[in-house]
Amino acid sequence: MSDPTRFLVVLDADSTLIRNEVIELIAEEAGRGPEVAAATEAAMRGEVDFATSLRARVETLAGVPVVALERVRGRVEPTPGAAELIAAVHERGGVVGVVSGGFHEILDDIAPALGVDLWRANRLAVSGDALTGQVSGPIVDAEGKAATLAAWAEDHGIPRARTVAIGDGANDLVMMSLAGLGLAFNAKPLVRAEADLVIGPVDLREVIPLLP
Ligand SMILES: [Mg+2]
């Protein structure tokens, strides 16, 4: 049964919901920070295939002890206005989802802490007490993000027109074009060029007046 008053806001995680790129923080634990940061930048600008790039970047994480992820979780910083935006969506009867090309290992901590209702990300494979350098299961890429937005909208009986997608990277563009409103936030030039609207200040409260 569809409820025409409800709406769904789906945010990207890295550089949108949070200020960090988590893969760079984990790479720093492996002493590979600058190399992975450069590769992440290229992927977010849309210069390389996301899944291929992600697999290559995760390979550099092989051997990072699982306990290091606790330090990474402690370094994650929510974007200014994140809690306020989520509260505003809930006040208006909306649902908040986060879909990420990053990792459940970090999102499972920060998403519920911020009041996010639904989240999906990649998983890092572990052997013993260390990362193997592989992604476990299918990769959440641009199409995976869009399919997740569509599935969440359907599960909640929310028409596509009443969905908002917010992201900064090239892998957010498919979900942004599928959503009723696609917002480029803190975004790369390619993403700014294709969005319905570009949010300038890096403060998620800027989205509140645009909610359906
Ligand atoms: Mg991002």
Side-chain angles (χ1 to χ4, degrees):
M1 189 61 190
S2 123
D3 174 354
T5 66
R6 294 196 86 191
F7 63 98
L8 169 68
V9 176
V10 177
L11 296 103
D12 163 55
D14 298 71
S15 300
T16 301
L17 179 74
I18 61 174
R19 305 202 66 168
N20 321 80
E21 290 288 332
V22 162
I23 197 163
E24 294 176 11
L25 300 183
I26 305 175
E28 284 169 17
E29 299 286 339
R32 309 284 288 266
E35 172 193 342
V36 168
T40 301
E41 269 286 304
M44 291 304 111
R45 287 193 303 261
E47 295 169 3
V48 289
D49 174 66
F50 178 82
T52 308
S53 162
L54 185 73
R55 285 189 201 285
R57 284 178 284 145
V58 169
E59 266 176 35
T60 69
L61 309 180
V64 170
V66 171
V67 291
L69 298 178
E70 196 52 49
R71 277 194 296 277
V72 169
R73 284 190 278 269
R75 291 177 64 195
V76 168
E77 262 186 87
T79 299
E84 290 87 344
L85 170 61
I86 291 164
V89 172
H90 288 155
E91 264 165 36
R92 291 160 172 79
V95 176
V96 180
V98 171
V99 65
S100 173
F103 308 105
H104 265 287
E105 287 75 4
I106 306 303
L107 210 51
D108 289 351
D109 190 55
I110 186 92
L114 284 170
V116 171
D117 303 301
L118 309 158
W119 60 96
R120 182 174 175 226
N122 294 304
R123 283 184 196 281
L124 293 163
V126 170
S127 175
D129 56 5
L131 304 183
T132 66
Q134 285 171 327
V135 180
S136 172
I139 287 186
V140 180
D141 59 5
E143 279 69 30
K145 285 186 167 204
T148 301
L149 182 147
W152 285 341
E154 198 183 325
D155 289 350
H156 289 81
I158 296 167
R160 193 76 52 79
R162 293 184 58 81
T163 61
V164 179
I166 310 169
D168 71 292
N171 59 329
D172 297 316
L173 282 171
V174 184
M175 73 164 177
M176 285 166 60
S177 65
L178 190 75
L181 181 64
L183 299 178
F185 181 82
N186 190 21
K188 304 292 178 281
L190 172 80
V191 180
R192 289 171 178 261
E194 294 196 22
D196 296 322
L197 264 177
V198 175
I199 308 288
V202 183
D203 187 326
L204 283 167
R205 278 170 291 203
E206 298 283 324
V207 178
I208 296 173
L210 305 171
L211 293 175

